[in-house]
């Protein structure tokens, strides 16, 4: 369909199990560290395969848009994102502490009350809720991430691993698209990070 970030977000979520395994094995040292080559090999194979596919003459629409981006052609979508960031900076400076109010982005940017947003959850928070909202939003994300536990606890609990995959995937999408209501699934995932620990993971946390 041509969506670049949904593809990257899916890849980021899918890479979580490999990265968790790599972190656990590397920190364990000894024989387990020696087995860390397996996740690295899988990541390297994926990178090489993607590069070979990317270098082909006929590409799916999404990959073709990636190639144009690397060639310096931002396209209409990329150019609009840059414009949003520039405007957001000025709007935030106008009300840096408490923001301009929820739903103020389209009024500021388009001079009309319609459905429009800067395509970045944290940028929208800065413009509409100021530094207060931005700090609170960041705190929620930090707390939810820490609530998942250590890499070893996540590795031992498949549910926590799945939640982390969803956390990464939905956050990546929230950084480039949607507004607060559109990203309600992401906020639901933040709540899922508070699921109880499995017995073996609970022992690890202790």
């Amino acid at each position: 369909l041509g969506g670049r970030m949904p593809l990257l977000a899916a890849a980021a979520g899918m890479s979580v199990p490999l990265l968790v395994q790599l972190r656990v094995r590397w920190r364990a040292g000894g024989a387990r560290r020696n087995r860390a080559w397996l996740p690295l090999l899988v990541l390297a194979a994926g990178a090489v395969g993607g590069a070979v596919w990317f270098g082909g003459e006929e590409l799916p629409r999404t990959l073709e848009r990636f190639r144009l981006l690397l060639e310096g052609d931002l396209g209409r979508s990329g150019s609009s994102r840059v414009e949003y960031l520039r405007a957001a900076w000025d709007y935030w400076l106008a009300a840096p502490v408490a923001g301009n109010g929820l739903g103020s982005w389209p009024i500021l940017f388009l001079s009309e009350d319609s459905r429009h947003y800067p395509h970045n959850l944290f940028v929208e928070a800065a413009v509409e809720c100021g530094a207060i909202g931005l700090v609170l939003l960041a705190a929620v994300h930090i707390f939810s991430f820490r609530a998942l536990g250590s890499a070893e606890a996540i590795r031992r609990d498949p549910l926590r691993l799945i939640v982390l995959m969803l956390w990464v995937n939905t956050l990546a999408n929230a950084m480039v698209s949607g507004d607060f209501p559109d990203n309600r699934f992401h906020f639901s995932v933040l709540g899922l990070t508070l699921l109880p620990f499995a017995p073996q993971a609970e022992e690890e946390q202790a």
Side-chain angles (χ1 to χ4, degrees):
L1 297 177
R4 289 173 291 199
M5 198 58 209
L7 176 62
L8 291 179
M14 292 168 61
S15 68
V16 166
L18 292 173
L19 295 176
V20 168
Q21 288 282 350
L22 181 61
R23 178 175 175 80
V24 169
R25 292 181 180 184
W26 188 260
R27 294 189 65 180
R32 295 187 70 182
R33 176 178 292 185
N34 293 335
R35 294 197 299 270
W37 61 267
L38 183 57
L40 287 174
L41 181 62
V42 173
L43 290 174
V48 171
V52 172
W53 192 16
F54 198 81
E57 295 183 359
E58 295 185 6
L59 293 174
R61 183 182 175 192
T62 303
L63 296 184
E64 180 62 33
R65 292 187 68 202
F66 271 116
R67 183 156 64 183
L68 292 175
L69 183 63
L70 293 175
E71 293 174 355
D73 184 2
L74 292 178
R76 180 179 178 182
S77 177
S79 299
S80 63
R81 299 297 202 279
V82 174
E83 184 181 358
Y84 296 156
L85 290 176
R86 290 172 178 169
W89 177 255
D90 293 333
Y91 300 153
W92 179 70
L93 290 180
V97 179
N100 296 280
L102 285 174
S104 60
W105 171 268
I107 298 175
L108 294 170
F109 192 79
L110 300 176
S111 300
E112 62 180 42
D113 190 7
S114 60
R115 184 175 180 273
H116 201 269
Y117 42 85
H119 288 72
N120 184 292
L121 190 66
F122 285 87
V123 170
E124 182 179 7
V127 171
E128 299 186 356
C129 305
I132 295 175
L134 190 60
V135 169
L136 290 174
L137 183 62
V140 168
H141 282 79
I142 294 172
F143 178 82
S144 68
F145 183 78
R146 292 177 61 87
L148 284 170
S150 65
E152 179 64 26
I154 294 172
R155 186 188 71 83
R156 291 175 176 269
D157 190 344
L159 290 180
R160 306 190 86 76
L161 182 60
I162 292 172
V163 171
L164 179 57
M165 293 173 69
L166 292 173
W167 191 94
V168 171
N169 174 265
T170 56
L171 177 61
N173 276 307
M175 297 301 290
V176 294
S177 185
D179 55 3
F180 286 119
D182 280 342
N183 285 296
R184 51 191 173 272
F185 179 56
H186 174 60
F187 288 108
S188 299
V189 171
L190 296 183
L192 290 178
T193 61
L194 299 177
L195 80 164
F197 281 93
Q200 63 270 31
E202 192 170 318
E203 293 175 3
E204 174 65 26
Q205 285 299 105

